[in-house]
Amino acid sequence: SRLVQFFSFNLLTSMFNVVSIALIIPFLELIFYGDKSQINVVELSSNPDTWMTYFNYLMGAKIVELGKQTALIYFSIGIVIAFFLKNLALYLAFYNLAYVRSAVVRDIREHIYNHLLRLPLSYFNKEKRGDTMSRFTNDVKEVEWSLLGVVELYFKHPLAILIPLVVLFVMSYQLTLFVIVVLPLSGFLISRIGKKLKNAAQAGQEKLSDVLSHLEESLHGIKIIKAFSASKDKQDKFKGLNDDHFRQMVRLNRKEFLASPLSEFMASIVLSSILIYSGSLILSDSSTLPPSVLIGYIAIFSQLIPPAKGISESFFRLKKGAASMGRINEILESEQEIDTQGDKDISFENSVVLDNVSFGYSETLVLKNINLEIRKGETVALVGPSGGGKSTLVDLIPRFHELNAGRITIDGKDISNIDLSTLRELMGIVTQDAILFNDTAANNINMGDHYLSGDQLLQAAKIANAHTFITNLEKGYNTNLGEKGTNLSGGQRQRMSIARAVAKEPPILILDEATSALDTESEKMVQDALEKVMENRTSIVIAHRLSTIQKADKIVVLDKGEIAEQGTHEELIAQKGIYKKLVDLQTFG
């Protein structure tokens, strides 16, 4: 409906624009040929040649009726009113366009964001965050300008050209046919440049994404850059990327800026052609085109130049927007997580079983033929050298990745047949990097679709040894933790993430090296919290410090993507294999 209103008001704008200029013709008639005492009556016929003669007859009769001085005032007032109505209609047209333009951008951003949240982790592992941010901001901005170009290309400029053309045809169909033949030449030249612009625009956006990626990476690692005095190296790299983007944008802008002067120059050629052709018509003995009408004709024709320029600029915007939309579509067409409409009535009563599971990010397998049973109530620890596949294995249970081979079952039900949200509700996850959000302490604990009462929130914080330091914050549980929880220490952030994991009371707890990044004092507090959390729960623990998992019901040693050993601490020590070597390294190293 907003587009219909935009179209309607543009129609009125074009009509009032032509009327305001057409009123100049009788004004000129009055100035140049003021003596209208002899008016020859003219009848309107179907012959286009007589239409302007009839219009002149009507205007001449009105001048005689009103008198020259009064007619001059009336025509001047008429011109002012026509211009006022034209600009009022123009404002109302853009008033509606503002809504359409903003709404489409809002919807595109929402669509991208929602789609990003449904993409698998593998997408984020291979894509640069700066590139994703560039597509979300700059490419969407280009699409917004392109949308403006599309709307003007289809709903505004055609009307601004068509209505004056109709009037010009009435004034002199011979001249107008001549214009229609000459105008397409400029359109051909402009379209040739537009094809090159799209490729340049796409390359420019890709260069910008490299700049933003480097910026994001530098901000994330600013402490390391300072510690290793690497500022000069990073500055040089940024300068190289920024200069590449600069050169690409210079080429792009030069092509884009060519659109307006080129179209105006082509219009001047057409206008000169009209002057030559119309002059020859007027100078001929059989001419029916008075000089005042010619001036009006040229004035109305001049109104074709802005929309003709607008069409070329809109065409260029469209090409740039198409390049940006292509980059956005690369996100929107990325394959989402496979969320089958599976079983929602599921609870964990017996065991989680990995049956001959294999997985790889590409052709190389990270995990090979994993067979493992985790019974309810057990604490199972995963240990082994770095790169052995421990984190990948625990990521498979909540289906962050899809298996290459084998299957994982919960109480005999294949997890691929369980509703994804329902499956993940069974699990609480604590990662090595405590991920907190720029929100209150309460909202960082109470995440997800479930509702926590105040008592449940406090209980989760107490279990995680987080209640005391939260209450000491400026506003307690309503304190904003800052971006990534920077207002808290490392140990506090980890205890917050533990509180979040246990808040929904999950039957399965996954702890991915939850204490490895902490100092000794913080580790002790976090370890105490973990021991309380793990009581009466099934726990899968990736252990960095082996001393923390000696009481585990089962220890699984992963090496090069395969299970090398499994058993209790005492059993594995007795085997004198990989596990014993790891323990000895930590004990005597």
Side-chain angles (χ1 to χ4, degrees):
S1 62
R2 298 277 182 174
L3 280 176
V4 171
Q5 292 179 58
F6 177 76
F7 179 83
S8 301
F9 284 120
N10 266 311
L11 179 63
L12 290 173
T13 301
S14 299
M15 290 171 62
F16 288 129
N17 186 42
V18 171
V19 168
S20 63
I21 295 171
L23 286 173
I24 294 174
I25 296 173
F27 183 87
L28 293 172
E29 285 282 325
L30 183 59
I31 296 297
F32 294 147
Y33 311 106
D35 185 11
K36 291 287 183 181
S37 56
Q38 301 296 323
I39 299 292
N40 297 319
V41 177
V42 177
E43 296 291 336
L44 182 64
S45 71
S46 58
N47 184 357
D49 283 338
T50 64
W51 294 353
M52 278 308 300
T53 306
Y54 182 71
F55 176 75
N56 288 332
Y57 156 69
L58 291 178
M59 291 299 103
K62 184 60 68 176
I63 291 169
V64 170
E65 179 188 339
L66 297 172
K68 289 186 288 186
Q69 195 68 35
T70 306
L72 188 65
I73 295 171
Y74 272 48
F75 287 140
S76 300
I77 293 173
I79 291 171
V80 171
I81 292 172
F83 270 106
F84 171 76
L85 293 174
K86 167 205 165 182
N87 285 284
L88 177 63
L90 183 64
Y91 167 73
L92 292 173
F94 282 112
Y95 178 87
N96 286 284
L97 181 61
Y99 178 90
V100 174
R101 179 178 169 181
S102 300
V104 170
V105 170
R106 175 201 64 192
D107 292 346
I108 289 174
R109 284 194 175 134
E110 187 175 327
H111 193 37
I112 295 171
Y113 182 79
N114 293 342
H115 190 84
L116 282 170
L117 294 184
R118 291 193 290 267
L119 292 175
L121 287 181
S122 56
Y123 173 86
F124 301 98
N125 291 336
K126 66 184 180 181
E127 293 294 333
K128 294 180 288 186
R129 278 184 288 182
D131 184 53
T132 302
M133 291 296 293
S134 175
R135 297 180 196 219
F136 192 81
T137 52
N138 297 290
D139 283 303
V140 170
K141 193 70 179 175
E142 286 297 339
V143 170
E144 177 185 0
W145 280 103
S146 177
L147 169 71
L148 186 61
V150 168
V151 171
E152 290 181 342
L153 193 61
Y154 291 104
F155 293 94
K156 181 185 176 185
H157 299 318
L159 287 175
I161 289 176
L162 182 62
I163 291 175
L165 267 180
V166 170
V167 175
L168 292 176
F169 187 81
V170 171
M171 294 173 73
S172 173
Y173 73 90
Q174 294 166 301
L175 264 178
T176 308
L177 288 174
F178 178 77
V179 169
I180 292 171
V181 170
V182 176
L183 272 178
L185 292 174
S186 60
F188 173 75
L189 284 175
I190 291 167
S191 67
R192 295 283 295 178
I193 298 172
K195 289 179 182 177
K196 295 181 180 179
L197 187 73
K198 180 180 177 181
N199 295 331
Q202 186 159 356
Q205 292 298 76
E206 287 169 359
K207 296 289 185 186
L208 180 60
S209 72
D210 290 339
V211 172
L212 292 176
S213 291
H214 185 74
L215 172 64
E216 194 274 336
E217 190 179 67
S218 298
L219 294 176
H220 182 68
I222 189 69
K223 186 183 289 186
I224 299 299
I225 292 172
K226 289 179 178 294
F228 286 85
S229 302
S231 297
K232 182 67 169 63
D233 178 57
K234 292 297 180 183
Q235 285 171 2
D236 290 343
K237 185 173 180 181
F238 182 83
K239 186 178 187 311
L241 293 171
N242 204 29
D243 285 349
D244 284 346
H245 176 249
F246 159 74
R247 285 188 288 270
Q248 187 61 42
M249 292 310 294
V250 167
R251 287 193 288 270
L252 174 63
N253 288 329
R254 282 172 177 169
K255 287 186 175 73
E256 186 175 4
F257 291 147
L258 185 59
S260 180
L262 177 63
S263 58
E264 191 163 330
F265 174 69
M266 295 305 297
S268 70
I269 292 175
V270 175
L271 185 59
S272 298
S273 303
I274 290 170
L275 288 173
I276 294 169
Y277 186 66
S278 60
S280 65
L281 287 178
I282 291 173
L283 293 173
S284 67
D285 296 334
S286 59
S287 173
T288 58
L289 190 66
S292 59
V293 174
L294 174 61
I295 294 172
Y297 186 97
I298 292 173
I300 292 175
F301 173 80
S302 69
Q303 297 306 296
L304 295 178
I305 296 175
K309 285 174 62 180
I311 284 178
S312 65
E313 289 167 3
S314 298
F315 182 72
F316 277 82
R317 276 192 214 155
L318 191 58
K319 289 295 182 182
K320 285 181 71 180
S324 290
M325 198 66 223
R327 283 166 48 80
I328 291 171
N329 281 334
E330 286 178 11
I331 294 178
L332 298 179
E333 291 170 2
S334 297
E335 191 172 344
Q336 299 181 11
E337 287 181 316
I338 303 170
D339 188 6
T340 52
Q341 297 301 311
D343 194 348
K344 293 187 178 182
D345 184 20
I346 181 77
S347 60
F348 178 51
E349 301 294 340
N350 298 308
S351 64
V352 177
V353 176
L354 284 77
D355 182 12
N356 210 32
V357 166
S358 294
F359 172 78
Y361 294 106
S362 56
E363 294 180 1
T364 305
L365 290 178
V366 178
L367 295 170
K368 302 168 224 171
N369 305 318
I370 301 295
N371 290 285
L372 178 64
E373 183 178 8
I374 304 165
R375 294 192 183 93
K376 184 176 182 179
E378 276 189 338
T379 296
V380 175
L382 303 177
V383 301
S386 296
K390 303 183 294 294
S391 295
T392 302
L393 191 149
V394 297
D395 283 347
L396 295 177
I397 298 172
R399 270 182 66 196
F400 290 147
H401 308 291
E402 297 299 326
L403 305 180
N404 290 42
R407 67 183 195 138
I408 300 174
T409 60
I410 295 179
D411 294 349
K413 293 181 180 178
D414 194 321
I415 62 170
S416 62
N417 297 324
I418 300 173
D419 176 75
L420 203 54
S421 297
T422 304
L423 172 68
R424 291 172 182 171
E425 278 294 313
L426 297 175
M427 302 167 200
I429 299 174
V430 182
T431 58
Q432 180 178 356
D433 296 322
I435 298 170
L436 299 180
F437 298 90
N438 192 6
D439 206 338
T440 63
N443 287 342
N444 267 285
I445 295 174
N446 185 21
M447 286 196 69
D449 295 332
H450 50 275
Y451 169 77
L452 292 182
S453 66
D455 290 340
Q456 287 174 310
L457 200 71
L458 293 179
Q459 184 62 22
K462 287 175 182 177
I463 290 173
N465 288 344
H467 176 69
T468 303
F469 80 76
I470 292 175
T471 53
N472 289 332
L473 295 173
E474 184 181 355
K475 296 181 182 178
Y477 281 83
N478 292 319
T479 303
N480 193 294
L481 301 183
E483 187 178 356
K484 298 181 181 178
T486 49
N487 295 337
L488 303 179
S489 69
Q492 289 172 335
R493 288 198 295 270
Q494 195 62 286
R495 280 179 277 160
M496 283 290 298
S497 66
I498 292 169
R500 179 172 62 210
V502 301
K504 59 181 181 179
E505 300 182 351
I508 301 171
L509 197 62
I510 297 174
L511 308 173
D512 187 353
E513 301 196 62
T515 62
S516 66
L518 304 178
D519 58 74
T520 305
E521 184 179 351
S522 297
E523 182 188 359
K524 186 177 185 308
M525 295 202 70
V526 171
Q527 193 61 42
D528 290 343
L530 289 174
E531 287 175 5
K532 283 194 285 183
V533 168
M534 290 161 64
E535 288 177 8
N536 304 317
R537 280 193 178 86
T538 305
S539 302
I540 305 167
V541 183
I542 295 178
H544 176 72
R545 293 184 174 92
L546 302 182
S547 58
T548 62
I549 49 92
Q550 291 183 6
K551 296 178 183 178
D553 298 295
K554 185 187 297 181
I555 298 171
V556 178
V557 182
L558 280 172
D559 185 33
K560 297 177 182 176
E562 297 180 282
I563 295 179
E565 302 167 1
Q566 63 177 303
T568 63
H569 172 73
E570 291 76 15
E571 289 170 350
L572 293 178
I573 291 292
Q575 288 182 24
K576 298 182 179 181
I578 297 174
Y579 180 76
K580 186 176 188 309
K581 289 179 182 177
L582 293 172
V583 172
D584 289 344
L585 281 171
Q586 289 195 7
T587 304
F588 304 109

